[in-house]
Amino acid sequence: MTFEMLASAISIGSDSNHLNPIELFLHADIVVQAIMGGLLLASLWVWTIIISFMLRMGSVARASDDYEDGFWEAQNFEAYQKDRRRGDVPMGKVAGAGLAEWRRNASMKQIDLEGARERIAMAMGSSVGEEADKLSSRLNFLATVGSVGPFVGLFGTVWGIMNSFFQIGQQQNSSLAVVAPGISEALFATAIGLFAAIPAVIAYNRFSHRVNMFESRMQRFADKLHSALTRELEQR
């Protein structure tokens, strides 16, 4: 009922010679309607991910800038790490992993420098990969919608066209007026598929690049910290 009222309102306020998306949806076959509904929900979720990712990356970048600036100015890395207590900052987690491994190696009576270097590097490298995976955890949905969405819409179009030709056979009438509405409704499914897929592909490519850039930044931070920690081990 809600869709019908919305379709009526749109048709009253618009030129009757133009397509009415709501009417196209309402008059489509039930299978095509289900496909359209699924694609619209996917599109809504895509935009939710896009907005939330942009806000999250902005917040993470600002927090990381603040953390990293203070970290290199600190006289004592461990004291700074305890004072900040920023467990949600990726840089802080990388530093925490490196410092924890450094403490374990520094507490040994006989320090194996080569082994310590390798273990500290592995600890921070693992933390870098884990933080990058967390940032990109929801991007797979964008890739899925971007690659599958057009084909799902195409399936709705094929089904709708098949149904239109079936109606031609049932009515024994090949007039364009008979088949055109059904074909329009079917093609609308492909349009919705593209509507969901295009922003998903653009966002996935852009956000993947941002995650890769941030991962490289974390790795540079880890390399710099690794040099400082191993140099301190050598002085013991």
Side-chain angles (χ1 to χ4, degrees):
M1 181 64 68
T2 303
F3 282 113
E4 292 177 355
M5 293 174 62
L6 183 58
S8 300
I10 293 175
S11 62
I12 292 173
S14 62
D15 189 351
S16 59
N17 293 326
H18 290 80
L19 290 175
N20 186 327
I22 304 299
E23 287 188 353
L24 289 176
F25 176 82
L26 292 175
H27 296 158
D29 182 78
I30 185 63
V31 175
V32 181
Q33 284 184 343
I35 291 172
M36 290 179 182
L39 289 171
L40 288 173
L41 289 176
S43 179
L44 179 62
W45 187 239
V46 163
W47 282 104
T48 301
I49 293 175
I50 290 173
I51 294 172
S52 64
F53 186 88
M54 291 175 64
L55 295 175
R56 184 183 181 191
M57 281 302 297
S59 176
V60 167
R62 288 190 297 272
S64 297
D65 288 341
D66 183 47
Y67 180 91
E68 191 172 3
D69 290 341
F71 186 85
W72 297 121
E73 293 175 358
Q75 298 296 323
N76 187 308
F77 291 156
E78 290 189 282
Y80 177 84
Q81 184 78 358
K82 291 178 181 178
D83 290 342
R84 304 289 286 193
R85 292 183 179 178
R86 293 188 175 183
D88 292 335
V89 180
M91 296 295 187
K93 293 184 179 180
V94 173
L99 289 170
E101 187 61 36
W102 175 84
R103 284 193 298 271
R104 284 191 288 268
N105 285 274
S107 63
M108 295 179 180
K109 294 182 178 180
Q110 186 67 30
I111 299 176
D112 177 12
L113 290 178
E114 289 300 322
R117 290 191 187 97
E118 185 176 349
R119 286 189 291 270
I120 293 172
M122 289 179 63
M124 289 193 291
S126 177
S127 181
V128 168
E130 183 178 351
E131 293 305 310
D133 288 342
K134 288 180 181 178
L135 289 174
S136 61
S137 60
R138 299 171 70 184
L139 298 186
N140 286 336
F141 185 80
L142 299 181
T144 301
V145 173
S147 60
V148 175
F151 294 101
V152 175
L154 182 61
F155 172 74
T157 296
V158 171
W159 183 274
I161 291 175
M162 289 171 55
N163 186 59
S164 295
F165 280 110
F166 176 78
Q167 295 299 325
I168 290 175
Q170 289 292 101
Q171 299 180 23
Q172 299 295 320
N173 187 349
S174 60
S175 172
L176 186 61
V178 174
V179 70
I183 294 178
S184 297
E185 296 154 10
L187 291 174
F188 189 50
T190 297
I192 295 178
L194 294 174
F195 176 77
I198 291 173
V201 171
I202 295 173
Y204 176 78
N205 291 334
R206 178 59 182 168
F207 293 162
S208 295
H209 176 70
R210 289 189 65 179
V211 170
N212 291 337
M213 292 290 289
F214 192 77
E215 184 177 7
S216 298
R217 177 184 173 183
M218 287 191 293
Q219 189 59 56
R220 289 192 297 270
F221 173 83
D223 292 341
K224 190 175 178 180
L225 180 57
H226 179 268
S227 298
L229 294 178
T230 53
R231 185 165 52 249
E232 189 168 341
L233 280 178
E234 291 172 357
Q235 296 173 356
R236 286 176 174 262

PDB file of all heavy atoms in Angstrom, residues 55 57-67 86 217:
ATOM      1  N   LEU A  55      34.442   7.749   7.863  1.00  0.00           N
ATOM      2  CA  LEU A  55      34.525   8.304   9.207  1.00  0.00           C
ATOM      3  C   LEU A  55      35.580   7.587  10.036  1.00  0.00           C
ATOM      4  O   LEU A  55      36.352   8.217  10.778  1.00  0.00           O
ATOM      5  CB  LEU A  55      33.161   8.207   9.894  1.00  0.00           C
ATOM      6  CG  LEU A  55      32.030   9.034   9.273  1.00  0.00           C
ATOM      7  CD1 LEU A  55      30.707   8.737   9.977  1.00  0.00           C
ATOM      8  CD2 LEU A  55      32.341  10.525   9.348  1.00  0.00           C
ATOM      9  N   MET A  57      38.287   5.832   8.970  1.00  0.00           N
ATOM     10  CA  MET A  57      39.644   6.088   8.516  1.00  0.00           C
ATOM     11  C   MET A  57      40.098   7.490   8.900  1.00  0.00           C
ATOM     12  O   MET A  57      41.268   7.709   9.238  1.00  0.00           O
ATOM     13  CB  MET A  57      39.739   5.903   7.004  1.00  0.00           C
ATOM     14  CG  MET A  57      39.819   4.462   6.552  1.00  0.00           C
ATOM     15  SD  MET A  57      41.220   3.545   7.250  1.00  0.00           S
ATOM     16  CE  MET A  57      42.616   4.445   6.577  1.00  0.00           C
ATOM     17  N   GLY A  58      39.178   8.447   8.845  1.00  0.00           N
ATOM     18  CA  GLY A  58      39.531   9.796   9.276  1.00  0.00           C
ATOM     19  C   GLY A  58      39.907   9.829  10.747  1.00  0.00           C
ATOM     20  O   GLY A  58      40.895  10.459  11.134  1.00  0.00           O
ATOM     21  N   SER A  59      39.130   9.130  11.577  1.00  0.00           N
ATOM     22  CA  SER A  59      39.410   9.081  13.004  1.00  0.00           C
ATOM     23  C   SER A  59      40.721   8.354  13.290  1.00  0.00           C
ATOM     24  O   SER A  59      41.527   8.804  14.112  1.00  0.00           O
ATOM     25  CB  SER A  59      38.256   8.385  13.732  1.00  0.00           C
ATOM     26  OG  SER A  59      38.534   8.231  15.104  1.00  0.00           O
ATOM     27  N   VAL A  60      40.950   7.238  12.606  1.00  0.00           N
ATOM     28  CA  VAL A  60      42.179   6.465  12.809  1.00  0.00           C
ATOM     29  C   VAL A  60      43.404   7.268  12.380  1.00  0.00           C
ATOM     30  O   VAL A  60      44.436   7.262  13.062  1.00  0.00           O
ATOM     31  CB  VAL A  60      42.110   5.134  12.031  1.00  0.00           C
ATOM     32  CG1 VAL A  60      43.476   4.466  11.959  1.00  0.00           C
ATOM     33  CG2 VAL A  60      41.112   4.191  12.691  1.00  0.00           C
ATOM     34  N   ALA A  61      43.305   7.966  11.262  1.00  0.00           N
ATOM     35  CA  ALA A  61      44.434   8.755  10.771  1.00  0.00           C
ATOM     36  C   ALA A  61      44.791   9.869  11.752  1.00  0.00           C
ATOM     37  O   ALA A  61      45.971  10.099  12.046  1.00  0.00           O
ATOM     38  CB  ALA A  61      44.115   9.338   9.396  1.00  0.00           C
ATOM     39  N   ARG A  62      43.781  10.556  12.276  1.00  0.00           N
ATOM     40  CA  ARG A  62      44.049  11.635  13.229  1.00  0.00           C
ATOM     41  C   ARG A  62      44.655  11.097  14.526  1.00  0.00           C
ATOM     42  O   ARG A  62      45.607  11.673  15.071  1.00  0.00           O
ATOM     43  CB  ARG A  62      42.752  12.405  13.529  1.00  0.00           C
ATOM     44  CG  ARG A  62      42.274  13.276  12.375  1.00  0.00           C
ATOM     45  CD  ARG A  62      41.130  14.178  12.827  1.00  0.00           C
ATOM     46  NE  ARG A  62      39.959  13.414  13.233  1.00  0.00           N
ATOM     47  CZ  ARG A  62      38.996  13.031  12.418  1.00  0.00           C
ATOM     48  NH1 ARG A  62      39.065  13.335  11.116  1.00  0.00           N
ATOM     49  NH2 ARG A  62      37.947  12.363  12.860  1.00  0.00           N
ATOM     50  N   ALA A  63      44.104   9.995  15.032  1.00  0.00           N
ATOM     51  CA  ALA A  63      44.629   9.408  16.261  1.00  0.00           C
ATOM     52  C   ALA A  63      46.054   8.912  16.067  1.00  0.00           C
ATOM     53  O   ALA A  63      46.905   9.049  16.958  1.00  0.00           O
ATOM     54  CB  ALA A  63      43.729   8.263  16.720  1.00  0.00           C
ATOM     55  N   SER A  64      46.327   8.338  14.900  1.00  0.00           N
ATOM     56  CA  SER A  64      47.668   7.826  14.621  1.00  0.00           C
ATOM     57  C   SER A  64      48.675   8.955  14.485  1.00  0.00           C
ATOM     58  O   SER A  64      49.824   8.839  14.935  1.00  0.00           O
ATOM     59  CB  SER A  64      47.653   6.969  13.349  1.00  0.00           C
ATOM     60  OG  SER A  64      46.836   5.829  13.521  1.00  0.00           O
ATOM     61  N   ASP A  65      48.255  10.057  13.862  1.00  0.00           N
ATOM     62  CA  ASP A  65      49.140  11.228  13.753  1.00  0.00           C
ATOM     63  C   ASP A  65      49.530  11.726  15.143  1.00  0.00           C
ATOM     64  O   ASP A  65      50.707  11.979  15.418  1.00  0.00           O
ATOM     65  CB  ASP A  65      48.442  12.356  12.987  1.00  0.00           C
ATOM     66  CG  ASP A  65      48.315  12.054  11.505  1.00  0.00           C
ATOM     67  OD1 ASP A  65      49.056  11.178  11.016  1.00  0.00           O
ATOM     68  OD2 ASP A  65      47.464  12.683  10.845  1.00  0.00           O
ATOM     69  N   ASP A  66      48.543  11.854  16.005  1.00  0.00           N
ATOM     70  CA  ASP A  66      48.785  12.352  17.350  1.00  0.00           C
ATOM     71  C   ASP A  66      49.676  11.394  18.131  1.00  0.00           C
ATOM     72  O   ASP A  66      50.611  11.815  18.831  1.00  0.00           O
ATOM     73  CB  ASP A  66      47.442  12.547  18.058  1.00  0.00           C
ATOM     74  CG  ASP A  66      47.606  13.143  19.448  1.00  0.00           C
ATOM     75  OD1 ASP A  66      48.348  14.130  19.581  1.00  0.00           O
ATOM     76  OD2 ASP A  66      46.985  12.620  20.395  1.00  0.00           O
ATOM     77  N   TYR A  67      49.381  10.084  18.001  1.00  0.00           N
ATOM     78  CA  TYR A  67      50.154   9.083  18.737  1.00  0.00           C
ATOM     79  C   TYR A  67      51.603   9.054  18.257  1.00  0.00           C
ATOM     80  O   TYR A  67      52.537   9.061  19.071  1.00  0.00           O
ATOM     81  CB  TYR A  67      49.523   7.702  18.555  1.00  0.00           C
ATOM     82  CG  TYR A  67      50.268   6.601  19.277  1.00  0.00           C
ATOM     83  CD1 TYR A  67      49.929   6.247  20.576  1.00  0.00           C
ATOM     84  CD2 TYR A  67      51.321   5.926  18.658  1.00  0.00           C
ATOM     85  CE1 TYR A  67      50.618   5.247  21.251  1.00  0.00           C
ATOM     86  CE2 TYR A  67      52.010   4.933  19.324  1.00  0.00           C
ATOM     87  CZ  TYR A  67      51.660   4.598  20.607  1.00  0.00           C
ATOM     88  OH  TYR A  67      52.348   3.618  21.282  1.00  0.00           O
ATOM     89  N   ARG A  86      46.142   3.955  24.618  1.00  0.00           N
ATOM     90  CA  ARG A  86      45.266   4.045  23.442  1.00  0.00           C
ATOM     91  C   ARG A  86      45.255   2.698  22.725  1.00  0.00           C
ATOM     92  O   ARG A  86      45.909   2.509  21.714  1.00  0.00           O
ATOM     93  CB  ARG A  86      45.732   5.148  22.505  1.00  0.00           C
ATOM     94  CG  ARG A  86      45.571   6.545  23.095  1.00  0.00           C
ATOM     95  CD  ARG A  86      45.863   7.588  22.063  1.00  0.00           C
ATOM     96  NE  ARG A  86      45.596   8.926  22.578  1.00  0.00           N
ATOM     97  CZ  ARG A  86      45.711  10.026  21.859  1.00  0.00           C
ATOM     98  NH1 ARG A  86      46.076   9.953  20.601  1.00  0.00           N
ATOM     99  NH2 ARG A  86      45.454  11.209  22.378  1.00  0.00           N
ATOM    100  N   ARG A 217      52.418   2.757   6.045  1.00  0.00           N
ATOM    101  CA  ARG A 217      52.804   3.701   7.098  1.00  0.00           C
ATOM    102  C   ARG A 217      53.085   2.966   8.401  1.00  0.00           C
ATOM    103  O   ARG A 217      54.069   3.267   9.094  1.00  0.00           O
ATOM    104  CB  ARG A 217      51.695   4.731   7.280  1.00  0.00           C
ATOM    105  CG  ARG A 217      51.972   5.716   8.403  1.00  0.00           C
ATOM    106  CD  ARG A 217      50.808   6.653   8.624  1.00  0.00           C
ATOM    107  NE  ARG A 217      51.019   7.474   9.811  1.00  0.00           N
ATOM    108  CZ  ARG A 217      50.133   8.333  10.271  1.00  0.00           C
ATOM    109  NH1 ARG A 217      48.976   8.508   9.651  1.00  0.00           N
ATOM    110  NH2 ARG A 217      50.388   9.049  11.352  1.00  0.00           N
TER     111      ARG A 217
END
